[in-house]
Amino acid sequence: RNQQTSHEDVNWTRKVEELSMRGMTLRSLLQFYQENLPSMPDWKYAPREHKTRDVVRRAIIPLTSREECAFSVSAFNKDGPKRAQVMVTHNWGNSFSDLLAAVLSDALQECSFSLPAELLQEDCAFLQDLLAKMGRLDDTYW
């Protein structure tokens, strides 16, 4: 093996390790949803209207612009970066609240995201209490 290949392998491994630590706990995700999203200046999040791309552009990027990093490794993620237990595939053109509801339905072991979606809108505190009682708030997703 030549030295260049070895250097590329080291860089590749470092990047994979860095990316693997972008998981967030359900606690942190719910905190973002309940505290950060509603408090954004100059933008009002509307769950039935806004897509994941809107949340990224109007909330996540402005919140993390000073640190120049992903939200999961920023100071806003109170639990700090974690290695994800579950990888979530998503589309930035879909509803952000549906994405979060789908993640929560996995944690709640629900076959549909309808109940978590309704609880996100109607009673987020109950949802958080339920996840706490199930011991799921530290489950980590990316």
Side-chain angles (χ1 to χ4, degrees):
R1 280 172 77 106
N2 67 31
Q3 200 169 12
Q4 168 120 12
T5 303
S6 177
H7 182 69
E8 289 170 357
D9 288 347
V10 169
N11 287 340
W12 175 262
T13 301
R14 254 191 228 129
K15 181 51 83 173
V16 168
E17 283 297 316
E18 173 196 329
L19 292 173
S20 75
M21 296 302 290
R22 291 202 180 172
M24 289 181 61
T25 64
L26 292 175
R27 180 183 297 99
S28 290
L29 287 168
L30 287 171
Q31 180 179 10
F32 171 75
Y33 190 80
Q34 292 174 289
E35 296 174 20
N36 298 117
L37 269 181
S39 65
M40 293 303 300
D42 304 323
W43 186 59
K44 179 153 177 46
Y45 172 69
R48 294 188 191 348
E49 183 181 320
H50 288 117
K51 310 292 184 210
T52 300
R53 81 171 125 253
D54 302 321
V55 172
V56 169
R57 291 178 181 150
R58 299 255 182 105
I60 293 173
I61 290 173
L63 286 170
T64 60
S65 63
R66 283 202 170 116
E67 292 180 73
E68 296 182 357
C69 65
F71 189 90
S72 59
V73 297
S74 76
F76 288 97
N77 180 5
K78 301 298 184 210
D79 287 336
K82 308 250 183 242
R83 189 174 310 275
Q85 298 164 311
V86 178
M87 174 67 177
V88 179
T89 300
H90 59 285
N91 180 316
W92 284 26
N94 291 340
S95 161
F96 179 74
S97 63
D98 285 354
L99 169 61
L100 186 53
V103 167
L104 294 167
S105 69
D106 178 72
L108 294 168
Q109 299 175 340
E110 288 285 318
C111 60
S112 166
F113 70 92
S114 299
L115 177 61
E118 186 175 324
L119 289 173
L120 274 173
Q121 304 311 311
E122 305 298 328
D123 198 349
C124 216
F126 174 77
L127 180 59
Q128 190 151 355
D129 287 346
L130 181 60
L131 289 164
K133 285 184 173 109
M134 293 176 71
R136 303 303 299 259
L137 285 175
D138 290 319
D139 288 6
T140 308
Y141 289 78
W142 180 33

